[in-house]
Amino acid sequence: MKINIHRSGRRTALAVALGSALALTATACGDDGSGTGGSKGSEGSGKGEITFWDSNGGVRTDIWKQVIADFEKKYPDIKVNYVGIPAASAQSKYDTAIQGGGLPDVGGVGTAMLAEIAAQGALEPLDGRLEKSSLNGRLSPGLLSVSKAAGGGDTLYQVPTSANNGTLWYRTDLFKKAGLDAPTTWSKFYEAADKLTDKGKNAFGFTIRGGEGSIAPALDAVYGQTGITSFWNGDKTTVNDPKNVAALEKYVALYKKDTPSADVNNDFTKMVAQWDSGTIGMLSHNLGSYQDHLKALGKDKFRGIPNPTMDDGTRVQVSNPVDGLGLFKASKNKAAAWKFIEFALSHEENSKFNESAGQVPANTDAAKDAWIQQSEPTELAAEALNGANTKIVQLPYYLPDWNTISKADNEPNFQKVLLGKMTAKEFLDTLADQLNKAQAEWKQQKG
């Protein structure tokens, strides 16, 4: 059975959750986990079985299974049932389970979906547990603050595991052959995109993300070019500022001119596979695809650098989602579930996980490990995130509607822009109108 929660329902859920308690109607859909979102659950014995949902199943399955094996070795009286869920369907899977039953004990909950899940009363507040934990003082204060803000306030509903960053991957062999400088600025980026394109040889300068997950990289490119450093100007978003409109027009003009036509439907897995196997000069993706490039191309044919700067060296980038783990309120074995979260965030395990994922560890001891310095893309990303010339445009992950607005509502519209069926201005005006309304409602509900 599939339950669709429309935006009005999400907003209602937020209002109730912030006010007192969320009343949810549970419909029997089977229960392979801990129950519905309205259940209070229990601490349990700290032993037995727990269920873990990996919200990036397939991509992170192998490394999570290693972490689980390590955990079960240390805690032989706890068994972890792993369930891998594709990233594209994670939010809808959680929404359905909150309504109908079958929530896990622990789940991967990124900041992009955190506010909506927290608003429905499904997540356990974790501040008190963290204060008493061996992890206290060992997690990045910056990431913890991002997690709290994304949850809609001052309560911690997600323990961050990883920081990501937008990365421009480029083929060093192709750049050298063409006599091009590294694409460190937007001017050099556009020059390379054009010069590396030879359609007769099926060679393209860039691959643009047109399928699932297209909005954040497009916004990154837009704000990166204009230098606008705030997502809001008062109560109105800057997303459709005339400078941003012009930047988006320039960016989408690359489609089919300097990119493959298949890009209009490509999500990150198809885009990465296409780049790894072809003769495309540049790919904008995050640190997570490093291992894929390494296996496909070898270390001498590509490089990963932070997204381009403006010509004066100023770096403006949008905030990237923070990955993390949530403890579900309905869990009947919260003690064992928290042990798993603590273990996954320990120095050794968090380092192992992030080395595999190519991301920046949340555990501050893990962030000092040697592999960070040996992995240039990760080291450069960490430097960019903390650089004096870096300005971060904070995306409004705290809005319960953010994930829906930036995915279901506007990914099809972005494809229309690429295909010439919608102008960049129409696209950004539509996005701005939805965001302004969502912001106004959020403020009203906050009181």
Side-chain angles (χ1 to χ4, degrees):
M1 183 175 78
K2 183 176 181 181
I3 300 171
N4 292 314
I5 303 177
H6 297 290
R7 184 172 303 131
S8 60
R10 290 190 175 100
R11 288 172 177 158
T12 300
L14 175 63
V16 179
L18 292 172
S20 54
L22 181 67
L24 289 169
T25 302
T27 306
C29 297
D31 190 356
D32 58 358
S34 59
T36 59
S39 171
K40 292 182 179 179
S42 61
E43 282 298 301
S45 65
K47 301 178 181 179
E49 294 190 12
I50 59 172
T51 296
F52 166 60
W53 282 8
D54 172 11
S55 58
N56 200 3
V59 178
R60 299 281 176 260
T61 296
D62 290 344
I63 186 60
W64 271 121
K65 287 192 172 181
Q66 288 181 41
V67 173
I68 290 169
D70 292 345
F71 176 77
E72 291 178 340
K73 184 176 181 180
K74 182 174 181 179
Y75 296 100
D77 51 2
I78 302 175
K79 175 178 172 51
V80 180
N81 297 311
Y82 171 89
V83 179
I85 301 168
S89 57
Q91 180 181 323
S92 61
K93 180 79 170 176
Y94 280 127
D95 283 343
T96 300
I98 288 169
Q99 290 280 305
L103 280 168
D105 300 278
V106 181
V109 182
T111 47
M113 69 176 84
L114 180 62
E116 181 181 330
I117 296 174
Q120 295 180 74
L123 291 169
E124 181 86 356
L126 298 175
D127 299 88
R129 293 179 191 268
L130 184 58
E131 285 176 8
K132 300 173 184 176
S133 169
S134 60
L135 294 175
N136 192 23
R138 289 185 166 87
L139 299 180
S140 164
L143 293 188
L144 285 170
S145 66
V146 170
S147 293
K148 285 188 176 184
D154 298 322
T155 302
L156 184 69
Y157 290 110
Q158 174 223 53
V159 179
T161 57
S162 313
N164 215 329
N165 200 48
T167 302
L168 184 63
W169 304 98
Y170 72 99
R171 290 283 299 271
T172 51
D173 55 342
L174 300 181
F175 270 69
K176 184 178 180 180
K177 185 177 179 180
L180 288 165
D181 292 334
T184 52
T185 67
W186 285 105
S187 296
K188 292 178 179 178
F189 165 82
Y190 282 108
E191 178 190 359
D194 187 59
K195 191 168 183 179
L196 291 172
T197 298
D198 186 342
K199 294 180 182 178
K201 296 181 179 178
N202 200 35
F204 296 92
F206 184 55
T207 174
I208 195 169
R209 188 167 180 168
E212 188 271 328
S214 60
I215 304 303
L219 292 179
D220 214 2
V222 164
Y223 280 94
Q225 292 176 77
T226 63
I228 295 172
T229 58
S230 176
F231 197 77
W232 300 102
N233 182 8
D235 291 329
K236 301 296 183 183
T237 180
T238 59
V239 75
N240 61 336
D241 183 284
K243 292 180 181 178
N244 282 343
V245 172
L248 184 61
E249 288 172 344
K250 186 173 184 180
Y251 184 68
V252 299
L254 292 172
Y255 175 64
K256 289 180 73 172
K257 181 175 80 74
D258 294 325
T259 81
S261 58
D263 282 355
V264 70
N265 293 313
N266 282 354
D267 59 12
F268 85 91
T269 53
K270 293 176 183 175
M271 191 173 62
V272 167
Q274 177 177 263
W275 191 73
D276 286 344
S277 63
T279 53
I280 300 173
M282 296 177 290
L283 161 72
S284 184
H285 189 237
N286 56 47
L287 294 167
S289 55
Y290 175 64
Q291 293 297 331
D292 293 322
H293 308 325
L294 197 61
K295 291 174 185 175
L297 301 170
K299 64 179 181 179
D300 297 327
K301 289 186 178 180
F302 77 99
R303 189 179 179 217
I305 59 175
N307 282 336
T309 69
M310 300 176 71
D311 287 343
D312 65 2
T314 301
R315 185 184 308 283
V316 178
Q317 61 184 59
V318 300
S319 56
N320 281 266
V322 172
D323 291 331
L325 297 174
L327 173 60
F328 283 84
K329 191 178 290 185
S331 170
K332 297 180 176 68
N333 201 350
K334 293 177 186 176
W338 178 249
K339 285 181 184 178
F340 178 69
I341 292 176
E342 283 186 309
F343 184 82
L345 268 294
S346 65
H347 177 176
E348 182 179 350
E349 298 300 321
N350 192 233
S351 183
K352 179 189 298 184
F353 177 87
N354 282 286
E355 183 175 11
S356 172
Q359 297 177 333
V360 181
N363 185 299
T364 52
D365 293 325
K368 299 172 186 175
D369 285 351
W371 69 266
I372 294 279
Q373 283 71 46
Q374 294 165 4
S375 174
E376 186 195 36
T378 308
E379 183 181 21
L380 291 175
E383 290 175 0
L385 285 170
N386 299 307
N389 289 329
T390 299
K391 310 296 182 184
I392 305 293
V393 179
Q394 296 291 343
L395 296 180
Y397 297 126
Y398 58 85
L399 292 177
D401 288 343
W402 168 253
N403 225 21
T404 302
I405 290 172
S406 64
K407 288 183 177 292
D409 285 359
N410 285 288
E411 285 176 356
N413 283 347
F414 186 70
Q415 290 180 315
K416 290 179 182 178
V417 176
L418 292 178
L419 295 171
K421 298 179 179 179
M422 189 177 202
T423 67
K425 186 177 188 307
E426 288 169 340
F427 169 76
L428 290 177
D429 283 346
T430 299
L431 178 59
D433 183 60
Q434 293 168 343
L435 288 165
N436 291 338
K437 289 177 180 176
Q439 174 79 346
E441 294 189 12
W442 180 77
K443 281 196 168 185
Q444 183 179 12
Q445 289 159 356
K446 290 280 284 186

